Amino acid sequence: MTIIASDPRGALIAPMEVDSARRDASVLELVRASTLPQVFRFAGRLLVRNGFHQGDYLPDAFDRTLTSLHIERPMSIVAAVRTVANGNPHVDSPFSALAVRVLAGRLLVDGEPPFGDSRLALETHVDGWGDVEGRSLESVVAVLEAAADASEVSR
């Protein structure tokens, strides 16, 4: 099994061999980003590698039918951001919440900004944008790249 990781310069590198018996928590720390631009760029690359998933954080989140590590499955935008920010698509952190907040501020859903400022409202807004019927991986990656570029300029 192979996973992606970041080198000290912040570029994603692949492949890395990983024992398939290891669980997400011990493996996922390999893809962590340390800056907002990295979060957005790494999330885009992770979605290109794994696929973009609509409707939930990732398919079969309770492992009823799939046995692959969660990091290897298609993901929603929020799950990809969480994965590269803190190593787990299911766990929120202050860093992943900041990235979701910045991203939510850049997106309109049905012409509207986020309906609230809570973490749940912001994640719902980003997921709502990603769940629009016909939303393509290309448009998701373009938005993440634009967010990375804007974050680099504002530093």
Side-chain angles (χ1 to χ4, degrees):
M1 173 184 318
T2 60
I3 62 168
I4 55 175
S6 62
D7 71 9
R9 296 179 310 273
L12 289 178
I13 55 175
M16 290 185 64
E17 292 301 319
V18 176
D19 179 1
S20 61
R22 296 172 86 186
R23 295 308 309 158
D24 290 4
S26 63
V27 175
L28 295 181
E29 65 186 83
L30 298 173
V31 296
R32 288 190 187 171
S34 60
T35 66
L36 274 180
Q38 283 181 344
V39 167
F40 299 131
R41 291 190 202 291
F42 287 12
R45 292 173 188 163
L46 184 60
L47 290 171
V48 166
R49 180 181 181 274
N50 289 13
F52 171 54
H53 182 69
Q54 294 178 300
D56 202 349
Y57 289 126
L58 44 108
D60 192 26
F62 296 104
D63 301 323
R64 291 184 180 117
T65 58
L66 297 175
T67 59
S68 59
L69 294 175
H70 289 193
I71 190 175
E72 295 177 332
R73 298 180 191 176
M75 297 182 182
S76 72
I77 300 166
V78 171
V81 165
R82 284 178 171 184
T83 299
V84 299
N86 65 27
N88 189 322
H90 304 289
V91 177
D92 194 15
S93 71
F95 189 39
S96 67
L98 173 62
V100 169
R101 175 181 303 279
V102 169
L103 193 55
R106 300 181 56 82
L107 302 173
L108 295 177
V109 177
D110 294 328
E112 298 290 327
F115 61 85
D117 199 35
S118 70
R119 287 182 180 185
L120 179 59
L122 296 170
E123 286 184 6
T124 300
H125 185 76
V126 172
D127 277 339
W129 183 86
D131 287 346
V132 168
E133 189 174 335
R135 179 74 63 208
S136 69
L137 171 62
E138 291 77 16
S139 66
V140 170
V141 172
V143 163
L144 289 167
E145 287 292 330
D149 292 343
S151 297
E152 287 177 339
V153 170
S154 66
R155 281 203 271 163

